[in-house]
Amino acid sequence: MDAAPIANGAVLVDASGRIVAVGPDAAVPVPPDALVQHFADAALLPGLVNTHTHLELTGFAGMAEETDFWAWIKRIIALKQTRDEEAFFHAATRGIRSCWASGVTTICDMGNTGSVIAALDALGGAGIVHHEAFDMHTEETPVVMKRFSREMDRLAQHATGRIAIGASPHAPYTVSGALYRAVSDLARAHGVPIGVHVAEPADESALLRDFTGAFADALRARGVERVSDEPISPIAWLDQHGVLTSRTLCAHAIRTDAADTKIMVQRGVAVAHCPRSNRRHHQADAPVARYTDAGLRIGLGTDSEVSVAPLDLVAEARAARRLAGWSAADSVRALTLGGADALGLASTTGSLTPGKWADIAVVRVGETTTPDEAILASSPGDVVATWLGGRRVH
Ligand SMILES: [Zn+2]
């Protein structure tokens, strides 16, 4: 990702799991005690970066088929109530292993059970896990924050090695302005990143514009009379509450205009683009060409397998390419270094560069086309092997 593809290439990895040398096979040194592995008809590429997952939902694929988004969310809540802590941990473990099997080495996850960060810790994985906060009743914010802060403290014990914890005020239809402000303040005080769902369903925009739509109806039934005093866009609403910074990742970001994009650029946010989930739930596309032109950092995300199954990040890249008009090289970059950059991890992963972690995926490819096109044509079953920090995990 930092140079042209190398024919008959080789990567030398040291005992600490870092890349030492990359180049044509003949030019890469082979220490006498090196373990040498050879892969014919394959491409070595940086481990993929999935910037938006919900791995605690692993196993629920096909169990929430509602087309209405609010009905779908309510189904997910009901499904989650059928699992205990141990079941979530096992689901998260299966989800992480299946990411590795598809060549993904870095994940950025959102959830509220704490199971994904615990499983990543147990497995020695890498990534960012955003813990979710919810509540629409502003008078409850101090109580909610007390609990959230305690949960963050408890989960932070798992933020070791290459695992980071983040805060996720969930979405404008589940989080009040006061809670957005409080969670953002807490994230800044602790120096942790923020992950949000924003500008996703049409009813979210309606909620903030004039308190209409399905979310407004549901909130009114629960005693919430309004969210914003003035009509405002989801992006501007988050900005008004201090949520958007260069350490904020915006998942989906479908319903934005030029003014919103300007705010996103000014704050330096990154986007987790989930093209197949956007289509499945909202029959809508994010303005990813506009984001690309604006110079925003863009990673790709699968969302959960309850949205689109099975998780296939390369399929997301193909969809993003069609929407954005990216080249094959741009698309492969979004899968790897672009995703790492969106997560603030580009100095340690995302390219096969000496000094970075040896996060490597080996993908079976034919010889009939360019390496970038061959990778984009691949499916998870074509991933022959995956290394995470020099450790073979698939
Ligand atoms: Zn999501």
Coordinates of all heavy atoms in Angstrom, one line a residue, residues 228-266:
S228 N -34.3 18.4 19.6 CA -33.7 19.7 19.4 C -34.7 20.8 19.3 O -35.8 20.6 18.8 CB -32.9 19.7 18.0 OG -32.5 21.0 17.7
D229 N -34.4 22.0 19.9 CA -35.3 23.1 19.8 C -35.4 23.7 18.4 O -36.5 24.2 18.0 CB -34.8 24.2 20.8 CG -35.0 23.8 22.2 OD1 -35.8 22.9 22.5 OD2 -34.2 24.3 23.1
E230 N -34.3 23.6 17.7 CA -34.3 24.2 16.3 C -34.1 23.0 15.3 O -33.5 22.0 15.7 CB -33.1 25.1 16.1 CG -33.0 26.2 17.1 CD -34.0 27.3 16.9 OE1 -34.4 27.4 15.7 OE2 -34.4 28.0 17.8
P231 N -34.7 23.2 14.1 CA -34.4 22.1 13.1 C -32.9 22.1 12.8 O -32.2 23.1 12.6 CB -35.1 22.6 11.8 CG -36.0 23.7 12.3 CD -35.5 24.3 13.5
I232 N -32.3 20.9 12.8 CA -30.9 20.7 12.7 C -30.5 19.4 12.1 O -31.3 18.4 12.2 CB -30.2 20.9 14.1 CG1 -28.7 21.1 14.0 CG2 -30.5 19.7 15.0 CD1 -28.0 21.6 15.2
S233 N -29.4 19.3 11.4 CA -29.0 18.0 10.7 C -28.3 17.2 11.8 O -27.8 17.7 12.8 CB -28.1 18.3 9.6 OG -26.8 18.7 10.1
P234 N -28.3 15.8 11.6 CA -27.7 15.0 12.6 C -26.2 15.3 12.8 O -25.7 15.4 13.9 CB -27.8 13.6 11.9 CG -29.1 13.7 11.1 CD -29.1 15.1 10.6
I235 N -25.5 15.7 11.7 CA -24.1 16.0 11.9 C -23.9 17.3 12.7 O -23.1 17.4 13.6 CB -23.4 16.2 10.5 CG1 -23.2 14.8 9.8 CG2 -22.0 16.9 10.6 CD1 -22.1 13.9 10.4
A236 N -24.7 18.3 12.4 CA -24.6 19.6 13.1 C -25.0 19.4 14.5 O -24.5 20.1 15.4 CB -25.5 20.6 12.4
W237 N -26.0 18.5 14.8 CA -26.5 18.2 16.1 C -25.3 17.6 17.0 O -25.1 18.1 18.1 CB -27.7 17.3 16.1 CG -28.2 16.7 17.4 CD1 -28.2 15.4 17.8 CD2 -28.9 17.5 18.4 NE1 -28.8 15.3 19.0 CE2 -29.3 16.6 19.4 CE3 -29.2 18.8 18.5 CZ2 -29.9 17.0 20.5 CZ3 -29.9 19.2 19.7 CH2 -30.3 18.3 20.7
L238 N -24.6 16.7 16.4 CA -23.5 16.1 17.1 C -22.4 17.1 17.3 O -21.8 17.2 18.4 CB -22.9 14.9 16.4 CG -23.5 13.5 16.8 CD1 -25.0 13.5 16.7 CD2 -22.8 12.4 16.1
D239 N -22.2 18.0 16.3 CA -21.1 19.0 16.4 C -21.5 20.0 17.6 O -20.6 20.4 18.3 CB -20.9 19.7 15.1 CG -19.7 20.6 15.1 OD1 -18.7 20.1 15.6 OD2 -19.8 21.7 14.7
Q240 N -22.8 20.3 17.6 CA -23.2 21.2 18.7 C -22.9 20.7 20.1 O -22.8 21.5 21.0 CB -24.7 21.4 18.5 CG -25.3 22.7 19.1 CD -26.8 22.8 18.8 OE1 -27.6 22.2 19.5 NE2 -27.1 23.6 17.8
H241 N -22.8 19.4 20.2 CA -22.6 18.8 21.5 C -21.1 18.3 21.7 O -20.9 17.4 22.6 CB -23.6 17.7 21.8 CG -25.0 18.2 21.9 ND1 -25.8 18.4 20.8 CD2 -25.7 18.8 23.0 CE1 -26.9 18.9 21.2 NE2 -26.9 19.2 22.5
G242 N -20.2 18.8 20.9 CA -18.8 18.5 21.1 C -18.4 17.0 20.7 O -17.4 16.6 21.2
V243 N -19.2 16.3 19.9 CA -18.9 14.9 19.6 C -17.9 14.8 18.6 O -17.1 13.8 18.5 CB -20.2 14.2 19.2 CG1 -20.0 12.7 18.9 CG2 -21.3 14.4 20.3
L244 N -17.8 15.7 17.6 CA -17.0 15.5 16.4 C -15.6 16.1 16.6 O -15.4 17.3 16.8 CB -17.7 16.2 15.2 CG -19.1 15.7 15.0 CD1 -19.7 16.4 13.7 CD2 -19.2 14.2 14.8
T245 N -14.6 15.2 16.6 CA -13.2 15.6 16.6 C -12.4 14.7 15.7 O -13.0 13.8 15.1 CB -12.6 15.4 18.1 OG1 -12.3 14.0 18.3 CG2 -13.6 15.9 19.2
S246 N -11.1 14.9 15.6 CA -10.3 14.1 14.8 C -10.2 12.6 15.3 O -9.6 11.8 14.6 CB -8.9 14.7 14.7 OG -8.3 14.7 15.9
R247 N -10.7 12.4 16.5 CA -10.7 11.0 17.0 C -12.1 10.4 17.0 O -12.4 9.5 17.7 CB -10.1 11.0 18.4 CG -8.7 11.5 18.4 CD -8.0 11.1 19.7 NE -7.8 9.6 19.7 CZ -7.5 9.0 20.9 NH1 -7.4 9.6 22.0 NH2 -7.3 7.6 20.8
T248 N -13.0 11.0 16.2 CA -14.4 10.5 16.1 C -14.6 9.8 14.7 O -14.2 10.3 13.7 CB -15.4 11.7 16.1 OG1 -15.2 12.4 17.3 CG2 -16.8 11.2 16.1
L249 N -15.1 8.6 14.8 CA -15.5 7.8 13.7 C -17.0 7.8 13.5 O -17.7 7.4 14.4 CB -15.0 6.3 13.9 CG -15.2 5.4 12.7 CD1 -14.3 5.7 11.5 CD2 -15.0 3.9 13.2
C250 N -17.4 8.2 12.3 CA -18.8 8.3 12.0 C -19.2 7.2 11.1 O -18.9 7.1 9.9 CB -19.1 9.6 11.2 SG -18.8 11.1 12.2
A251 N -20.0 6.2 11.7 CA -20.5 5.1 10.9 C -21.7 5.5 10.1 O -22.6 6.2 10.6 CB -20.8 3.9 11.8
H252 N -21.8 5.1 8.8 CA -22.9 5.3 7.9 C -22.8 6.7 7.2 O -22.4 6.8 6.1 CB -24.3 5.0 8.5 CG -24.4 3.6 9.0 ND1 -24.4 2.5 8.1 CD2 -24.3 3.0 10.2 CE1 -24.5 1.4 8.8 NE2 -24.4 1.7 10.1
A253 N -23.2 7.7 8.0 CA -23.2 9.1 7.4 C -23.8 9.2 6.0 O -23.1 9.6 5.1 CB -21.7 9.6 7.4
I254 N -25.0 8.7 6.0 CA -25.7 8.6 4.6 C -26.3 10.0 4.3 O -26.1 10.5 3.2 CB -26.9 7.6 4.7 CG1 -26.3 6.2 5.0 CG2 -27.6 7.6 3.4 CD1 -27.4 5.2 5.3
R255 N -27.1 10.6 5.3 CA -27.9 11.7 5.0 C -27.2 13.0 5.5 O -27.4 13.5 6.5 CB -29.3 11.6 5.7 CG -30.0 10.5 5.0 CD -31.2 10.0 5.8 NE -31.4 8.6 5.6 CZ -32.0 8.0 4.6 NH1 -32.5 8.8 3.6 NH2 -32.2 6.7 4.5
T256 N -26.2 13.5 4.6 CA -25.5 14.7 4.9 C -25.5 15.6 3.6 O -25.6 15.0 2.5 CB -24.0 14.4 5.2 OG1 -23.4 13.8 4.1 CG2 -23.9 13.4 6.4
D257 N -25.4 16.9 3.8 CA -25.3 17.7 2.7 C -23.9 18.4 2.7 O -23.0 18.1 3.5 CB -26.4 18.8 2.7 CG -26.4 19.7 3.9 OD1 -25.3 19.7 4.6 OD2 -27.4 20.3 4.2
A258 N -23.7 19.4 1.8 CA -22.4 20.0 1.6 C -22.0 20.7 2.9 O -20.8 20.7 3.3 CB -22.4 21.0 0.5
A259 N -23.0 21.3 3.6 CA -22.6 22.0 4.9 C -22.2 21.0 5.9 O -21.2 21.3 6.7 CB -23.9 22.8 5.4
D260 N -22.8 19.9 6.0 CA -22.4 18.8 6.9 C -21.0 18.3 6.6 O -20.2 18.1 7.5 CB -23.4 17.6 6.9 CG -24.8 17.9 7.3 OD1 -24.9 18.7 8.3 OD2 -25.7 17.4 6.7
T261 N -20.7 18.2 5.3 CA -19.4 17.7 4.9 C -18.3 18.7 5.4 O -17.3 18.3 5.8 CB -19.4 17.5 3.4 OG1 -20.4 16.6 3.1 CG2 -18.0 16.8 3.0
K262 N -18.7 20.0 5.2 CA -17.7 21.0 5.7 C -17.4 20.9 7.2 O -16.3 21.0 7.6 CB -18.4 22.4 5.3 CG -17.3 23.5 5.2 CD -18.0 24.8 4.7 CE -17.1 26.0 5.1 NZ -17.9 27.2 4.9
I263 N -18.5 20.6 7.9 CA -18.2 20.4 9.4 C -17.3 19.2 9.6 O -16.4 19.3 10.4 CB -19.6 20.2 10.1 CG1 -20.4 21.5 10.0 CG2 -19.4 19.8 11.6 CD1 -21.9 21.3 10.6
M264 N -17.6 18.1 8.9 CA -16.9 16.9 9.1 C -15.4 17.1 8.7 O -14.5 16.6 9.4 CB -17.4 15.8 8.2 CG -18.9 15.4 8.6 SD -19.8 14.5 7.3 CE -19.0 12.8 7.5
V265 N -15.1 17.9 7.7 CA -13.8 18.2 7.3 C -13.1 19.1 8.4 O -12.0 18.9 8.8 CB -13.7 18.9 5.9 CG1 -12.3 19.4 5.6 CG2 -14.2 17.9 4.8
Q266 N -13.8 20.1 8.8 CA -13.3 21.0 9.8 C -12.9 20.3 11.1 O -11.9 20.6 11.7 CB -14.3 22.1 10.1 CG -14.3 23.3 9.1 CD -15.5 24.2 9.3 OE1 -16.4 23.9 10.1 NE2 -15.4 25.4 8.6

